[in-house]
Amino acid sequence: MGRRIMIVGNGELPPGVAGFIDLSDIVIRFNDCRSLGAGGSRTDVVAVCNTGRPGQEMTEDSDWRESDGVRQASALWSVRDPAKFSEMESGIRARWPELTDFCADYTAGFAAIARETGKSHIVIPRDVHERLDAALAAYAPASYVCPSTGLVAIAHVLESVSGDGDEVAIAGFGHQGWSGHPFAAEQQLVEALSNEGRLTRVSATSIFSASQGA
């Protein structure tokens, strides 16, 4: 039997999900790990937005690196390829002039934190971002800045982390938030992946079914 790789977003979670998440083999959370508590406690990977204000705030905040999720994690994933975002910067500034520091890069800061705390650190390759842009185009999204951190992490897991027999499950993905992400198209893409059997969206019903089968 394969592993359960659980990707936990910062959105609303189904009731009773905490224990189900903690029994997973790998648990991936995001940024400040707001899913801790209602979404269980286990954290193996923290996927971070490594550019702009979120990246700056996390790398400069000692409380962030000492937080429960980050302390527990064995790996940090920077989801934005610095070279890719450097190339995007002029276009972003032209179309969204208010995003003055959106592409400011803090990857080195996350790499340093990983070294200092005994964690591994990777940068998710730009190819993942570019393949997502191509996949999202099928759903005709309005103009957007970039795919969300959550979607990039999902794609990376499906492409490079999961193997034969593994289950990739998600919870806490409401596909809502900052207008610079194409959330409506992202939701359609996630539903398509779920319909193909590549992704499981955890619900109260699926938790109950799993507990009955245990």
Side-chain angles (χ1 to χ4, degrees):
M1 185 175 178
R3 304 169 297 174
R4 183 198 297 145
I5 303 170
M6 189 79 219
I7 308 171
V8 190
N10 286 329
E12 185 176 354
L13 293 158
V17 75
F20 183 84
I21 289 172
D22 284 345
L23 288 173
S24 301
D25 298 283
I26 301 173
V27 178
I28 300 157
R29 301 184 193 271
F30 297 93
N31 292 327
D32 59 1
C33 300
R34 292 199 305 275
S35 58
L36 285 170
S41 61
R42 176 172 181 161
T43 308
D44 298 286
V45 177
V46 180
V48 297
C49 175
N50 51 303
T51 72
R53 292 177 196 172
Q56 181 180 20
E57 290 170 0
M58 285 183 279
T59 53
E60 294 181 356
D61 183 2
S62 60
D63 289 342
W64 178 81
R65 71 182 71 188
E66 293 299 324
S67 63
D68 288 344
V70 176
R71 277 194 301 103
Q72 186 183 162
S74 59
L76 300 180
W77 292 356
S78 291
V79 304
R80 295 178 176 173
D81 183 284
K84 171 72 174 174
F85 276 76
S86 178
E87 293 169 12
M88 293 168 59
E89 184 169 14
S90 61
I92 290 173
R93 283 176 175 255
R95 189 167 184 84
W96 295 278
E98 69 278 13
L99 299 180
T100 55
D101 59 353
F102 185 80
C103 295
D105 179 35
Y106 297 93
T107 307
F110 287 108
I113 291 169
R115 284 194 304 272
E116 293 163 6
T117 56
K119 307 179 193 304
S120 64
H121 173 258
I122 65 164
V123 178
I124 294 179
R126 64 184 296 155
D127 293 357
V128 175
H129 179 153
E130 291 165 357
R131 281 190 288 272
L132 279 176
D133 283 336
L136 290 165
Y139 304 100
S143 181
Y144 64 93
V145 180
C146 63
S148 68
T149 299
L151 190 66
V152 174
I154 289 171
H156 175 64
V157 169
L158 291 174
E159 291 186 11
S160 301
V161 178
S162 64
D164 291 343
D166 290 343
E167 176 190 15
V168 180
I170 65 169
F173 281 80
H175 307 290
Q176 297 177 347
W178 183 54
S179 61
H181 297 317
F183 280 119
E186 290 193 7
Q187 182 171 7
Q188 292 177 83
L189 177 57
V190 166
E191 293 305 324
L193 291 168
S194 178
N195 291 337
E196 293 168 8
R198 299 183 62 197
L199 202 60
T200 302
R201 191 187 290 273
V202 174
S203 65
T205 301
S206 63
I207 296 166
F208 177 77
S209 298
S211 65
Q212 291 298 102

